[in-house]
Amino acid sequence: MKVITLVTQKGGSGKTTLCVSLAVAAQEAGHTVCILEMDRQATATQWAQARKGEPPEVAQVAADRIETTLEKVRGGEFDYVFIDTPGIDSPGTNAAIRHSDLCMIPCRPTPADLRAIGPTLATIHRLEKQFAFVLNQTPPKSYRVRDTAEGLKVMGLLAEVNIVMRNDHQDAMGTGQGVTEMNPAGPAATEIRSLWSWIENRTKEPIRVEAA
Ligand SMILES: Nc1ncnc2c1ncn2[C@@H]1O[C@H](COP(=O)(O)OP(=O)(O)OP(=O)(O)O)[C@@H](O)[C@H]1O
Ligand SMILES: [Mg+2]
């Protein structure tokens, strides 16, 4: 079982959006998957309610229960557990990071997003965990994307796939679908499938912590 945690204290960067669509993409790729939601906003739980029982299962987990919950599901049916964390640095988020095989850090192409990464990254380094940034909500082409990508690469590994700002992501949250279900032939679906393949490859073998 591999644990993928979507984490950054920057609110609104796309943790939940990427979490649910990546979980669906992983499932479509043949994996058994569940989502643990640590955010009291319960966005992923509301998304699951709109799915009316269709997997992946989404379970709300209190910050002080994440370790015991992961112990329980380890060795069970799941190939991948996705953890959606709240946009705050907290002991619960730290515990999720500690038990992750890969932390994915979504970042929008803005100076504010870049600056906000520091505390999350410090925790990940302290716990010596694997991580990768993913550029999210990007314009299709812009100097901002290039500049932010350069900034991120200085701090660590950047996923090779950027996720462009597209209505499909917002609509799919509303209908309780992954973007690959809602509009399978659309560009948002293609990007999410590519990002999932990239993550799948990174988590197949033990990966090196990139020098900062
Ligand atoms: N690639 C995208 N294209 C279009 N809209 C997006 C994209 N990613 C996220 N959004 C939108 O941005 C908003 C914030 O996304 P989301 O809730 O996933 O962020 P978050 O990091 O989970 O926020 P929080 O820290 O509050 O939990 C939502 O309205 C979502 O629909
Ligand atoms: Mg969220």
Side-chain angles (χ1 to χ4, degrees):
M1 184 184 95
K2 302 280 183 187
V3 179
I4 314 280
T5 297
L6 280 292
V7 63
T8 172
Q9 66 163 13
K10 185 71 184 156
S13 54
K15 296 177 287 295
T16 308
T17 303
L18 297 183
C19 184
V20 299
S21 270
L22 284 171
V24 168
Q27 197 171 258
E28 288 174 343
H31 299 293
T32 49
V33 168
C34 74
I35 297 172
L36 302 181
E37 174 170 60
M38 298 180 68
D39 191 352
R40 289 195 190 154
Q41 284 187 104
T43 313
T45 300
Q46 286 156 14
W47 172 84
Q49 281 161 0
R51 286 179 80 75
K52 301 189 172 72
E54 276 290 303
E57 190 180 331
V58 178
Q60 276 229 286
V61 181
D64 60 350
R65 302 284 304 162
I66 190 69
E67 287 182 336
T68 39
T69 305
L70 283 169
E71 267 165 36
K72 267 188 203 156
V73 293
R74 210 172 278 283
E77 67 190 279
F78 297 113
D79 302 324
Y80 284 93
V81 174
F82 290 80
I83 305 181
D84 182 25
T85 61
I88 44 159
D89 228 3
S90 70
T93 305
N94 293 356
I97 292 171
R98 189 176 306 116
H99 291 277
S100 299
D101 294 283
L102 181 65
C103 295
M104 291 301 298
I105 306 176
C107 181
R108 289 169 295 199
T110 72
D113 267 55
L114 255 186
R115 278 197 292 268
I117 281 173
T120 306
L121 204 52
T123 304
I124 290 172
H125 280 311
R126 185 167 50 79
L127 298 173
E128 299 182 354
K129 302 309 291 189
Q130 313 291 346
F131 71 95
F133 303 112
V134 54
L135 269 168
N136 185 34
Q137 303 187 52
T138 70
K141 266 190 193 155
S142 160
Y143 71 92
R144 283 168 174 281
V145 179
R146 198 194 53 220
D147 288 358
T148 313
E150 292 310 315
L152 290 171
K153 282 180 192 167
V154 171
M155 293 189 281
L157 182 67
L158 173 63
E160 280 157 20
V161 187
N162 296 346
I163 306 296
V164 174
M165 165 98 82
R166 298 187 194 279
N167 292 340
D168 277 3
H169 289 284
Q170 299 174 5
D171 295 342
M173 279 309 297
T175 56
Q177 292 173 298
V179 284
T180 52
E181 296 170 315
M182 203 195 68
N183 184 6
T190 304
E191 286 161 9
I192 286 290
R193 273 190 220 104
S194 303
L195 180 59
W196 168 247
S197 299
W198 189 89
I199 292 172
E200 192 179 28
N201 282 328
R202 299 295 308 176
T203 48
K204 263 183 197 155
E205 304 294 335
I207 51 180
R208 284 183 301 116
V209 176
E210 305 283 323

